[in-house]
Amino acid sequence: MLRSLRHVSWLLAGLSLSSAAQAPAPSPAPKLRARELGIPFGGQAGPLDAITDVPGVEVGHTTLVSGEGRLQVGKGPVRTGVSALLPRGRASLADPVFAATYALNGNGEMTGTHWVDESGLLTGPVMLTNTNSVGVVRDGVVVWGARHGLAWELGLPVAAETYDGLLNDIDGFHVKTAHALSAIDGARPGPVAEGNVGGGTGMICHGFKGGIGTASRRLSEAEGGYTLGVLVQANYGIRRLFTVAGVPVGEEIRDLQACYAGATKPSSAMMGDLRPCAERAEAVPKRLSEDLGSIIVVVATDAPLLPHQLARIARRVPLGIGRMGGLGSDSSGDLFLAFSTQPTKAPPGESVAHVASLDNGKLNPLFEATVQATQEAILNALLGAETMTGADGIRVHALPADRLVEALRKYGRLPPAP
């Protein structure tokens, strides 16, 4: 019962739908997250095990799901959306935070990063969506700022993308300015919806259904008692390399490959040997045998860090992705942003801001927390996702939690079943 209630709270806290035409799929049964399954990534999670454990951080989603069957560009099926992360909450959206970015592989887009790296400051929300919609979502932030008298204060918006064109009518440009506004206005503290929501709605990760995931770590009092949270939009990786807590899960679960549910095979050349869902197939479709996806990772902390230290945090994100089986492949966009919520503005009437800086020798626990939370956020994205059938009847399966647990038990990473 508690899990069921919490699942409902995740959806209510994080899911914003723009119209009846974008109705969600029927509510699925509650799903367990990585920590609830006992999967060991180390460290102590915050109360929510989410990026919103960092005080002030808020997250909102606009999810667009409509249509089924054959792809008709401009009509659907639609499987996409927008996510908004507000570093200091909507009431303080114009107050800058120290920030830095890092690109493991640059075949992707995150707007506004030149100014973040130049100034060391991030102002406004961080927006996540699909590849073809990054421009309109970026513009949506400008519209939001203009409507609230903050056009100048919000500066150059940060909007990032991953590609959902396998399941979504990405060339139909279904994401509109209103959807970006809805995600910002719907952002809240508290539990964060995961899986097929917001910008992660149509994403794929290691050949399973991917999407939005989050996790957090709380450092011990001896380490400063700081909180660090991670949010991912996971759309990267190939099955055979998928690893969890050192276990080759991708080798253990070779079936449940992408397939097509319709009577006619999709014409997309990207999918190569895609098979009907009625067949039990372990052959990996061409599109998913090549790491053509991407991952966006946002790291938040209340630790007093300066921009150069946040750059060091962002550079630790790939260590977590690598442990899950990511390569930063040639065609992958692996873009990361880290920020600290410590105050950055000078007191009224003064020109000097008094900021704090954690000693560099004390950063190691935050580095470790980043690696741990990145892994767990990716797995939470997979565990939170539901099997989805999208454009042209292409179906991508969710990671089955029971078989994941079975694989970890086989390799001694979880205790035997009682």
Side-chain angles (χ1 to χ4, degrees):
M1 175 62 72
L2 288 177
R3 289 200 303 267
S4 179
L5 290 174
R6 184 168 69 183
H7 180 78
V8 171
S9 72
W10 286 344
L11 295 178
L12 293 178
L15 185 59
S16 173
L17 294 169
S18 299
S19 74
Q22 294 138 8
S27 296
K31 303 193 74 173
L32 297 179
R33 304 176 78 212
R35 188 146 297 247
E36 293 169 324
L37 293 171
I39 296 174
F41 291 114
Q44 178 62 49
L48 299 172
D49 197 12
I51 197 168
T52 46
D53 282 322
V54 179
V57 175
E58 298 178 356
V59 176
H61 303 297
T62 301
T63 299
L64 310 181
V65 176
S66 64
E68 59 184 18
R70 295 295 294 178
L71 172 65
Q72 298 183 64
V73 175
K75 295 183 178 180
V78 179
R79 306 286 189 271
T80 193
V82 185
S83 295
L85 188 151
L86 284 50
R88 297 193 189 279
R90 195 164 49 259
S92 302
L93 201 53
D95 291 342
V97 294
F98 286 134
T101 68
Y102 178 68
L104 173 64
N105 195 70
N107 192 7
E109 181 62 271
M110 181 183 287
T111 67
T113 56
H114 293 295
W115 181 238
V116 171
D117 292 333
E118 174 74 19
S119 67
L121 296 171
L122 164 69
T123 306
V126 178
M127 308 295 290
L128 307 177
T129 189
N130 74 61
T131 302
N132 288 6
S133 300
V134 68
V136 71
V137 169
R138 179 255 180 217
D139 294 348
V141 177
V142 176
V143 172
W144 192 96
R147 290 183 180 180
H148 292 80
L150 298 173
W152 176 259
E153 288 81 357
L154 293 190
L156 299 170
V158 173
E161 53 77 27
T162 56
Y163 183 80
D164 61 12
L166 182 62
L167 293 169
N168 175 50
D169 174 23
I170 191 169
D171 292 331
F173 301 101
H174 297 278
V175 174
K176 309 297 182 184
T177 298
H179 301 133
L181 300 178
S182 176
I184 297 171
D185 288 332
R188 298 289 186 272
V192 177
E194 298 178 300
N196 306 3
V197 295
T201 300
M203 303 306 170
I204 301 168
C205 184
H206 287 291
F208 294 108
K209 184 66 189 67
I212 298 292
T214 189
S216 71
R217 288 297 182 273
R218 172 80 176 178
L219 273 56
S220 70
E221 292 303 319
E223 296 167 330
Y226 304 114
T227 298
L228 180 144
V230 168
L231 184 137
V232 305
Q233 183 164 293
N235 190 55
Y236 78 98
I238 56 180
R239 178 72 63 85
R240 65 179 176 82
L241 297 179
F242 180 42
T243 304
V244 178
V247 174
V249 174
E251 293 289 346
E252 293 293 322
I253 309 177
R254 298 187 182 186
D255 58 333
L256 299 181
Q257 298 290 344
C259 57
Y260 66 95
T264 305
K265 183 176 181 178
S267 59
S268 174
M270 289 195 303
M271 290 308 298
D273 61 349
L274 189 71
R275 300 184 182 184
C277 294
E279 296 181 8
R280 178 179 172 86
E282 294 188 1
V284 183
K286 178 182 177 183
R287 164 66 177 83
L288 300 181
S289 66
E290 303 171 2
D291 192 352
L292 301 178
S294 304
I295 182 170
I296 303 297
V297 181
V298 181
V299 183
T301 183
D302 59 2
L305 303 183
L306 298 178
H308 72 282
Q309 296 173 312
L310 290 161
R312 299 182 71 189
I313 294 288
R315 289 197 293 270
R316 268 61 184 182
V317 168
L319 297 176
I321 296 173
R323 290 185 177 185
M324 299 297 287
L327 297 176
S329 300
D330 175 68
S331 58
S332 186
D334 310 306
L335 308 177
F336 320 127
L337 183 148
F339 66 85
S340 166
T341 58
Q342 75 154 311
T344 61
K345 297 176 72 172
E350 297 185 22
S351 59
V352 177
H354 300 277
V355 299
S357 174
L358 190 65
D359 183 86
N360 278 338
K362 304 296 183 181
L363 288 176
N364 284 343
L366 291 169
F367 292 159
E368 185 175 6
T370 301
V371 176
Q372 293 170 346
T374 297
Q375 294 175 82
E376 190 168 333
I378 292 170
L379 189 55
N380 281 337
L382 287 158
L383 290 169
E386 297 285 345
T387 295
M388 174 173 281
T389 302
D392 280 338
I394 294 176
R395 179 173 297 162
V396 178
H397 297 274
L399 170 66
D402 57 344
R403 294 180 64 183
L404 170 66
V405 168
E406 180 184 345
L408 268 65
R409 284 177 174 156
K410 175 181 176 180
Y411 286 80
R413 297 299 286 154
L414 288 177

